[in-house]
Amino acid sequence: MEEILRVENLKKTFPLSAKQRKAENTKEKRKTALAGASFSAYRGEIFGLLGPNGAGKTTTLRILSTLIKADEGDAFINGKSVRREPEAVRAQIGFLTSELKLEAFFSPDYLFNFFSDLHNVPLDVREQRKKALFEKFGIDKYAFTKVGDLSTGMKQKVSLVISIVQDPDIIIFDEPTNGLDVLTAKVVTDFLLELKAQGKTIILSTHIFSLIEKICDRVCILIDGKVVCESMLKELTAEKNLEDKFFDIYREVKGEEV
Amino acid sequence: MKGLWTIIKKEFSRFFRDKKLIFTMIFPGILIFAIYSVMGTVMNSFIEEETGASFTEMRVLTQNPSDRLEQLVIRNTAHSGYEVEFITTSASEEDAKTQVAEGAYEAYLSLPADFDELVKEDREVVPEVKIFYNSDNTASSVCYSLLTECFRQYEEGLVNRFNVNSGMTNYDLAETDLDEIMEMMYSMLVPFLLIMFVVTGALSITPESIAGEKERGTIATILVTPVKRGFVALGKIISLSVFASLGALSSFLGTMLSLPMLINGSSGGVLEGAGISFNLFELYSVGDIVGLLFIVLYFVPVMVGLLSLISTLSKSVKEATSASSAVMIVSMLVGLSSMFGIDSLWAAFVPILNVAIAISSVLSGTASIGFILATIGMNFVYVGLLSLLLAKLFGSEKIML
Ligand SMILES: Nc1ncnc2c1ncn2[C@@H]1O[C@H](COP(=O)(O)OP(=O)(O)OP(=O)(O)O)[C@@H](O)[C@H]1O
Ligand SMILES: [Mg+2]
């Protein structure tokens, strides 16, 4: 197995404003989001980052996408350091998270072209990909409608398509099915399996056990910014289902009832 | 470099495909033009209506023309811009008075027949001269004082011991003619106006484009692509500068094309009649105007860069707009300060002030090429520094996310 992603001891804290301190009922000046997380993912697998709210999933993926910098530690994507070669990393990955928005004024068609240009995709390749992806997600009907006029689900599909304009080998999706109805969610999960069949590596985060059980090969459980379990899904769920196993681990780590 | 071009293209699409955005940019200029033109025209026609005729031409009815008087009138009006025409009539005095009262003529001059002959002889009973006019009517009043002045000179001339200023020469040796007064006015007004137009142009798009994109999370989407963050920042500055220039140009043209109408209108057309030029584009040479454009061209990116910096550091459009408004007020005050005639070279290093002084000096004809070049050079440096700073900030997660 070829290691395509290696995460080494990532640490990240965020400054807390007075307001945030009050809301979280703490006197600490900084909030620890990641407390030294390490894990690896291998070529051609779907890797699931599982964790409760606030575990640090989004923070991890934002560091991998070079959107933010870790305080300590580093990660290597296809051998490129997110700390030292962020532009090279960005060229290789497709990144999707709900905080990345598309300009409401433009149409999916315009945005697809714009982001393809930013990724230096040749024109003929671009048109071919656009046609295939728009058809697959039913965007073709809305190709020239302003994004601002699309429904939430359609917007999310457009965001997904735009995030992979350059046909990246490594795809990093933060909660890809969040807010989607079951039909749309299925289109997305089927698509992820299809990408896997093409040999792509997919890193996704979720707190939905069923999604992991359905499509992931390996899983990493994150609690309070620490990796508490990294294993093949098959091994982890050999005796119990994922949910029960998760609660076992959670109790062990936190030393408390859920 | 390709990434920079892609960013600029997108910004242009955003601007030029959005009718609302173009409208808010170009509209102020059109509005200024419309308001000033309408005001000018209304004032002009209002004054014309009151005076009953175009102010510069005056028509005097008379039964018995006097050659001597007409010569005096021609001499006295030679440099004034007025023109007086004598019209011989055979109408009765009552009819002539009615015509003046109704405004068909500015005055009715009643002279005895052979007036010029009569006044040469010494007589017990002097000839009677009657000038009927209408003081409700400005032109008529002016005409009346003109005629009485000419008669006074005529009377003095009859006992001729010496002549005072009796030739056709212009005896007024003052060097400031009206053109120069207009130039002075422009050199005080235009720096302020131009700076205001540039700032409002930049202010109407920059916070929305930068703080807005930040707030809506659309810029982060671009930041996860391989494009250099410096290009994203530079692309914004370049595009916004073009849009702000369009807005400033629109307001400036709107003002400069309609201001003459306003000034002329408020004088009831007298200025135009007197051949005084108050059109910026007639007063100044092409070289002056091009110089002006150059100065402004290098100033726009400085202003855009400054407001971009503020917008980048702000958390919301609202915050960016209010902070930028403070910059606008300061800039306008600095624009006014060019009226105090600062001309030392150190001023070329003070942003905004250098532009105000440079513009003012071009318009008052006192421009020094050294100062202008220093100003343009310094603005170039400011834009460079602002771009570098912005590129740095665009790479900072604390600022951008
Ligand atoms: N910009 C920020 N400022 C302050 N605290 C932050 C910031 N971003 C994240 N955090 C905190 O860091 C912790 C980890 O956040 P993160 O978003 O990574 O969690 P998550 O696992 O994605 O959770 P969720 O399932 O809710 O999305 C949380 O406690 C969050 O409050
Ligand atoms: Mg999250």
Side-chain angles (χ1 to χ4, degrees):
Chain A
M1 277 200 302
E2 185 198 347
E3 189 185 57
I4 200 163
L5 164 71
R6 192 168 79 250
V7 173
E8 284 179 356
N9 192 32
L10 284 186
K11 290 188 182 162
K12 180 74 182 175
T13 59
F14 290 107
L16 287 181
S17 65
K19 227 191 213 161
Q20 285 170 314
R21 281 206 291 275
K22 209 165 175 195
E24 302 221 358
N25 201 8
T26 168
K27 285 210 173 65
E28 303 271 323
K29 285 254 157 64
R30 299 188 75 86
K31 162 97 191 172
T32 302
L34 286 177
S38 305
F39 58 86
S40 293
Y42 300 88
R43 187 178 289 283
E45 70 180 11
I46 300 185
F47 180 93
L49 203 54
L50 178 68
N53 290 140
K57 304 182 293 293
T58 301
T59 304
T60 306
L61 299 190
R62 284 167 89 193
I63 292 171
L64 295 185
S65 71
T66 77
L67 206 49
I68 63 175
K69 281 197 170 64
D71 300 342
E72 266 178 60
D74 201 350
F76 300 86
I77 297 183
N78 236 348
K80 305 274 190 238
S81 155
V82 295
R83 188 182 283 285
R84 290 190 308 273
E85 304 152 281
E87 272 158 36
V89 169
R90 291 204 288 271
Q92 296 191 46
I93 58 164
F95 180 52
L96 179 69
T97 168
S98 60
E99 67 185 335
L100 300 185
K101 299 281 172 25
L102 297 173
E103 264 182 88
F105 176 81
F106 290 115
S107 68
D109 180 80
Y110 184 91
L111 290 167
F112 194 97
N113 296 349
F114 170 63
F115 283 99
S116 296
D117 282 350
L118 290 182
H119 279 284
N120 289 312
V121 179
L123 198 82
D124 48 337
V125 177
R126 174 186 96 190
E127 288 307 312
Q128 228 175 325
R129 270 183 74 68
K130 185 164 65 182
K131 190 164 181 298
L133 286 169
F134 277 20
E135 260 170 37
K136 180 178 296 299
F137 287 93
I139 299 168
D140 38 2
K141 285 193 285 291
Y142 307 99
F144 297 98
T145 310
K146 279 184 182 181
V147 165
D149 295 336
L150 298 176
S151 69
T152 314
M154 187 53 70
K155 264 186 207 146
Q156 203 160 331
K157 285 193 249 179
V158 175
S159 287
L160 188 149
V161 164
I162 299 272
S163 74
I164 52 168
V165 282
Q166 86 279 33
D167 197 14
D169 277 343
I170 301 136
I171 293 157
I172 302 175
F173 282 175
D174 188 22
E175 316 250 16
T177 58
N178 238 18
L180 297 180
D181 63 39
V182 282
L183 295 171
T184 318
K186 185 162 162 35
V187 175
V188 173
T189 50
D190 286 352
F191 182 63
L192 292 178
L193 289 169
E194 201 182 307
L195 289 173
K196 179 192 160 182
Q198 289 168 21
K200 313 277 186 202
T201 311
I202 295 149
I203 320 286
L204 62 84
S205 84
T206 185
H207 53 253
I208 306 168
F209 299 109
S210 61
L211 179 66
I212 300 253
E213 283 176 314
K214 231 178 284 167
I215 64 171
C216 287
D217 302 298
R218 271 155 46 78
V219 59
C220 166
I221 298 176
L222 207 56
I223 293 175
D224 292 342
K226 282 190 280 275
V227 174
V228 294
C229 165
E230 186 186 354
S231 147
M232 291 304 287
L233 181 73
K234 266 194 229 116
E235 289 162 27
L236 196 66
T237 53
E239 34 204 276
K240 286 181 176 177
N241 70 25
L242 184 61
E243 190 171 342
D244 292 340
K245 191 76 196 171
F246 173 81
F247 286 128
D248 286 351
I249 295 171
Y250 191 84
R251 264 190 294 267
E252 207 176 294
V253 174
K254 297 284 246 186
E256 56 189 270
E257 276 302 311
V258 182
Chain B
M1 271 326 249
K2 193 168 163 282
L4 177 61
W5 176 233
T6 306
I7 298 283
I8 292 176
K9 245 178 23 194
K10 187 215 67 171
E11 293 295 333
F12 271 68
S13 298
R14 176 75 189 86
F15 187 81
F16 287 107
R17 286 187 189 188
D18 193 339
K19 291 189 196 74
K20 218 166 57 197
L21 214 54
I22 299 180
F23 189 70
T24 50
M25 216 52 196
I26 310 293
F27 184 65
I30 299 171
L31 192 68
I32 292 170
F33 181 80
I35 291 178
Y36 282 13
S37 311
V38 168
M39 272 168 72
T41 317
V42 167
M43 279 160 113
N44 202 354
S45 63
F46 185 68
I47 293 170
E48 258 181 31
E49 199 171 284
E50 259 199 0
T51 55
S54 168
F55 199 93
T56 50
E57 283 170 23
M58 288 170 281
R59 287 142 55 86
V60 179
L61 272 182
T62 180
Q63 277 154 330
N64 305 303
S66 149
D67 289 343
R68 179 90 175 93
L69 181 73
E70 286 186 23
Q71 280 162 21
L72 275 170
V73 167
I74 288 168
R75 207 190 69 200
N76 281 0
T77 53
H79 299 285
S80 72
Y82 296 128
E83 223 176 277
V84 181
E85 195 188 343
F86 287 93
I87 291 133
T88 316
T89 176
S90 54
S92 72
E93 186 170 305
E94 278 317 305
D95 285 350
K97 277 157 72 178
T98 318
Q99 281 177 296
V100 171
E102 282 170 356
Y105 297 93
E106 270 59 55
Y108 169 58
L109 178 62
S110 167
L111 294 176
D114 300 326
F115 179 70
D116 288 337
E117 292 304 315
L118 276 177
V119 294
K120 282 182 188 155
E121 301 156 24
D122 273 331
R123 310 174 146 265
E124 296 270 298
V125 185
V126 293
E128 194 65 38
V129 174
K130 288 183 272 184
I131 309 169
F132 295 97
Y133 72 106
N134 177 1
S135 69
D136 284 343
N137 182 319
T138 323
S140 186
S141 300
V142 171
C143 185
Y144 174 70
S145 39
L146 225 140
L147 288 175
T148 47
E149 170 65 9
C150 289
F151 273 111
R152 196 184 54 71
Q153 289 180 15
Y154 192 174
E155 198 171 31
E156 280 171 8
L158 291 173
V159 285
N160 196 359
R161 316 242 173 214
F162 53 81
N163 291 334
V164 179
N165 280 0
S166 59
M168 290 293 282
T169 337
N170 183 8
Y171 294 96
D172 185 355
L173 300 178
E175 285 198 3
T176 39
D177 54 16
L178 273 164
D179 276 4
E180 273 176 57
I181 292 176
M182 288 318 279
E183 283 187 15
M184 178 111 106
M185 187 197 87
Y186 276 125
S187 74
M188 286 162 111
L189 183 67
V190 171
F192 170 74
L193 285 179
L194 268 177
I195 287 175
M196 186 175 78
F197 293 152
V198 169
V199 182
T200 39
L203 183 61
S204 64
I205 42 171
T206 310
E208 180 53 36
S209 173
I210 294 186
E213 278 216 46
K214 229 177 90 172
E215 203 178 357
R216 291 190 295 271
T218 52
I219 207 143
T221 318
I222 294 171
L223 296 182
V224 293
T225 69
V227 67
K228 286 202 168 56
R229 285 167 181 191
F231 283 173
V232 181
L234 200 59
K236 283 273 185 201
I237 294 188
I238 293 173
S239 321
L240 292 175
S241 296
V242 173
F243 310 149
S245 304
L246 283 180
L249 192 69
S250 153
S251 299
F252 186 64
L253 283 181
T255 308
M256 286 307 142
L257 293 177
S258 55
L259 197 62
M261 284 189 251
L262 183 66
I263 301 173
N264 190 40
S266 61
S267 76
V270 168
L271 289 171
E272 197 171 57
I276 296 158
S277 171
F278 33 75
N279 186 331
L280 186 83
F281 303 101
E282 285 170 11
L283 271 174
Y284 296 99
S285 68
V286 175
D288 286 342
I289 306 267
V290 169
L292 214 63
L293 282 179
F294 247 84
I295 296 168
V296 175
L297 203 69
Y298 280 90
F299 173 57
V300 174
V302 175
M303 209 63 229
V304 167
L306 190 60
L307 296 193
S308 297
L309 185 65
I310 290 171
S311 297
T312 307
L313 294 171
S314 304
K315 289 212 159 36
S316 64
V317 179
K318 219 167 124 194
E319 198 181 311
T321 307
S322 48
S324 301
S325 305
V327 172
M328 176 163 96
I329 292 166
V330 172
S331 310
M332 277 159 57
L333 289 178
V334 174
L336 281 175
S337 71
S338 71
M339 291 182 189
F340 302 124
I342 309 163
D343 60 358
S344 64
L345 198 60
W346 64 260
F349 295 89
V350 184
I352 307 174
L353 181 65
N354 57 9
V355 172
I357 295 172
I359 295 172
S360 174
S361 70
V362 168
L363 292 175
S364 61
T366 58
S368 95
I369 197 78
F371 190 92
I372 306 255
L373 287 181
T375 298
I376 290 179
M378 278 322 290
N379 281 338
F380 208 77
V381 171
Y382 299 139
V383 175
L385 289 176
L386 283 167
S387 304
L388 283 177
L389 192 56
L390 270 181
K392 191 127 193 87
L393 291 178
F394 269 50
S396 158
E397 62 182 75
K398 282 190 205 73
I399 305 287
M400 296 311 287
L401 299 172

